[in-house]
Structure formats: C-alpha cells, structure tokens
Amino acid sequence: MTLLRRVWNWLSLEGRAGRREYNLVLWPLAAGFPALIFRDMRVRNSDGWISLGDGLFLVGGFMLLAFFGMVVTARRLHDIGRSAAWIFIFMFVLRLVYGLYERMPSGLLRDVVLGVPLACGAAVLIFLAIKRGEPDTNVFGPPSGRG
C-alpha cells in the first residue's frame, strides 16, 4: 500500500481497520494527549494564562488527536461489525459524567465519579485492540486483512 493511500485511509471513515492498524495508530495518539497536557502545564505564566499561539497549538493538537482517534476507532468498530455511532454514545456518557463531576464537592466520591467511567473507557479501548474482526465481508466492506 502506498504512503498516500495509507494516509487517505487514516482520514476516511469507510472500510475497516484491523487490530494491527488500530494499535499502530491509536496508541501513539493516546500517548500524545499527556504530552500536550504536560506542554500546557509548562507554558502557563504566573497568572495561569497561556499565550494565544500556545493556546491555538494546544487546541489544534487536541482536535487533531481526537479526530484521528475517532476515525480509526470508527473503522475498528466496523471491523467487528458495529456502527461508528457507538463513539457518540461514549462521548455523550463522558459529557454527562463530566457535568456531574463539575457540580460535586471535592472528595473521594468526586474522583470515583470521574475515574470509573474513564477506566471503563480504557477497558473498551483495550477490548477493541484485542478483539478479532469479522473474518468475512460485512456491511462495512471486506476484511482489512490484518487481524
């Protein structure tokens, strides 16, 4: 597969992504989120603000990582015979949990309210990383040929 075709494949929601492609794309992206958060902590001034350029870099970085993560996860869901709409269900639940988290007083219960859904989300990502795709052609296309 040529490099241009492979990059286009990473931008497309069509088709299926096998375990190998999912792991090669998603886990480096997941490592990028803490790197951006660490950069955010380093570039703040004494008042807690960041410059416009650094802010645009951080927001753009988070958006790119989230976009590529959602695209490869959607194609991985296609590989196991599920719709990409599951991503929106996860995002909706995460937003509800975060809204509840914002309104709770600090303490252990507040940490549990945020920690449990995040742990469940991590478990889902691991499940997607190890589950075999459907061996035959499904409604999303032929198998990717990689696990």
Side-chain angles (χ1 to χ4, degrees):
M1 182 181 288
T2 66
L3 180 63
L4 184 61
R5 178 141 170 85
R6 185 166 294 190
V7 169
W8 175 251
N9 201 25
W10 290 343
L11 297 173
S12 172
L13 289 172
E14 295 179 5
R16 296 164 57 173
R19 290 182 295 184
R20 180 177 176 199
E21 181 182 353
Y22 183 72
N23 289 325
L24 285 174
V25 173
L26 188 74
W27 298 117
L29 289 178
F33 276 109
L36 282 174
I37 291 170
F38 179 69
R39 177 172 167 71
D40 177 42
M41 292 187 306
R42 285 188 27 236
V43 298
R44 290 183 183 272
N45 64 20
S46 60
D47 297 333
W49 292 88
I50 61 174
S51 70
L52 178 62
D54 287 331
L56 291 175
F57 173 79
L58 293 170
V59 169
F62 277 118
M63 290 178 69
L64 277 174
L65 291 176
F67 173 76
F68 282 116
M70 285 193 295
V71 167
V72 75
T73 300
R75 291 184 33 250
R76 182 69 188 126
L77 285 166
H78 290 170
D79 194 46
I80 62 173
R82 302 287 185 259
S83 168
W86 284 97
I87 295 172
F88 295 110
I89 293 169
F90 174 74
M91 289 171 45
F92 178 73
V93 169
L94 190 61
R95 177 61 187 120
L96 284 177
V97 167
Y98 186 71
L100 181 62
Y101 176 80
E102 288 177 323
R103 289 166 179 73
M104 293 183 75
S106 63
L108 180 63
L109 181 61
R110 181 178 178 177
D111 295 338
V112 169
V113 163
L114 187 61
V116 169
L118 289 178
C120 292
V124 168
L125 289 177
I126 292 170
F127 169 76
L128 290 175
I130 61 175
K131 182 169 177 23
R132 270 194 194 278
E134 292 183 350
D136 299 324
T137 300
N138 63 18
V139 296
F140 303 106
S144 64
R146 294 191 181 115

